[in-house]
Amino acid sequence: MSGLTIAAPAKINLGLEVRGRRADGYHEIVTIFQALEFGDTVHLTPAPTIRGESAVDGLDAGSDLAFRAAYELQERIGTTGGVHISIDKRIPVAAGLAGGSTDAAAVLLGLRRLWNADASTTAESARALGADIPFFLHPGTALGLARGDDLRPMPPAPMRWVLLVRPHAEISARDAYAELRPPEWSGGSATLQQVDGLRDGDFMPQLLINDLQPAAIRLVPEVAQVLRALESAGAEPALLAGSGPTCFGLFPTRAAARNAESRVGSHGWWTQTTRFMTPPDDAASQL
């Protein structure tokens, strides 16, 4: 096998509600993960050692989650094999779109084939690396419970076009959750109602809520400006994408989303029009 190329989709949260704080310091959440057609591309080539350069400026390979994924799986299966990792980076860093997590999952998916690792060991590696990573082993639509890593596959959400808009500032997930206040915990009822609707083929945008949105606005007031701009451009609804600062608006057609992008883009923010991803039959294809 000469090499693999693996799609690494971004994600948004179609609802993110907090139930409380766990004993391990994480928050207990109820969320719906939705993968997007937009994302990064990961290239893996067999090599004597794990090598390559981080796609994130200022980050060395040893600290990059994609490279950590390779080391994690290498240790678990006891292989002496290596890999060269190269990433075409399109997802902004620290944007709340899980760019690091999806790249790590793509590396694990590729190495499962290159190193002949079993699915359970790959899944264990994903869970050890981060709460978002297991979702990207089978991207699509999924209910996330506990830290978000207790995943329940869902039927594909009815198709919507998505306009992503990222303000200039960054917010780490750690900072967003640290800023979250207990009175802002909503408990999960709206998202669980959405889950019931999706199982019946119904999508209810009016139920979308992200408990982290007030915290994100306090940390980066520009988030409120982005949300207002999306609403003015016709988004139904406009919401924080994850832990922020990226926000998204949902639209029924590509034309509506692109028209909104032309209006919102005048503010100088990063924008990207995409849509909900239909799960691929196989996330990796041989070069």
Side-chain angles (χ1 to χ4, degrees):
M1 186 177 290
S2 59
L4 296 173
T5 182
I6 309 98
K11 65 86 185 159
I12 56 176
N13 294 69
L14 298 177
L16 193 165
E17 296 185 87
V18 177
R19 286 176 159 171
R21 185 180 287 276
R22 297 159 49 98
D24 60 9
Y26 285 89
H27 285 78
E28 190 84 15
I29 68 171
V30 181
T31 189
I32 298 172
F33 294 111
Q34 176 60 56
L36 304 176
E37 288 191 351
F38 164 74
D40 297 339
T41 304
V42 174
H43 305 277
L44 303 178
T45 307
T49 60
I50 296 172
R51 59 178 63 172
E53 294 184 5
S54 173
V56 179
D57 291 341
L59 189 66
D60 63 272
S63 302
D64 190 307
L65 199 54
F67 288 84
R68 286 171 53 200
Y71 286 115
E72 177 74 23
L73 186 61
Q74 183 188 56
E75 182 176 352
R76 283 181 181 270
I77 67 175
T79 184
T80 58
V83 65
H84 183 275
I85 301 171
S86 174
I87 300 174
D88 298 332
K89 193 70 181 164
R90 300 176 67 208
I91 303 172
V93 177
L97 300 173
S101 295
T102 189
D103 291 345
V107 168
L108 292 174
L109 286 169
L111 291 180
R112 187 172 74 187
R113 293 177 59 176
L114 286 178
W115 292 347
N116 196 29
D118 61 71
S120 62
T121 303
T122 306
E124 290 168 4
S125 298
R127 286 192 296 269
L129 288 161
D132 282 351
I133 299 174
F135 166 71
F136 291 107
L137 297 181
H138 304 281
T141 308
L143 169 65
L145 301 172
R147 300 186 307 159
D149 56 349
D150 179 0
L151 296 170
R152 315 290 174 87
M154 296 287 299
M159 184 58 68
R160 291 292 191 279
W161 285 87
V162 182
L163 174 57
L164 302 172
V165 183
R166 182 187 185 279
H168 301 293
E170 297 181 357
I171 302 175
S172 71
R174 181 186 298 272
D175 289 344
Y177 277 100
E179 179 64 25
L180 180 67
R181 299 168 183 172
E184 294 163 346
W185 302 347
S186 59
S189 60
T191 301
L192 291 175
Q193 187 177 344
Q194 186 79 262
V195 167
D196 290 339
L198 288 173
R199 285 173 174 155
D200 293 332
D202 188 20
F203 179 47
M204 297 169 281
Q206 70 273 15
L207 291 178
L208 296 187
I209 179 175
N210 187 329
D211 287 351
L212 292 173
Q213 190 163 292
I217 291 172
R218 287 194 296 272
L219 291 168
V220 178
E222 192 180 9
V223 168
Q225 296 177 248
V226 171
L227 292 168
R228 287 194 297 269
L230 280 166
E231 290 168 352
S232 296
E236 297 181 353
L239 197 71
L240 192 72
S243 58
T246 302
C247 303
F248 71 89
L250 297 184
F251 298 86
T253 64
R254 181 177 184 271
R258 292 301 300 270
N259 179 63
E261 184 175 19
S262 67
R263 293 176 58 183
V264 175
S266 64
H267 294 270
W269 297 315
W270 175 90
T271 62
Q272 177 67 46
T273 293
T274 182
R275 63 179 179 175
F276 292 175
M277 189 189 80
T278 300
D281 294 331
D282 186 358
S285 59
Q286 187 172 352
L287 287 172

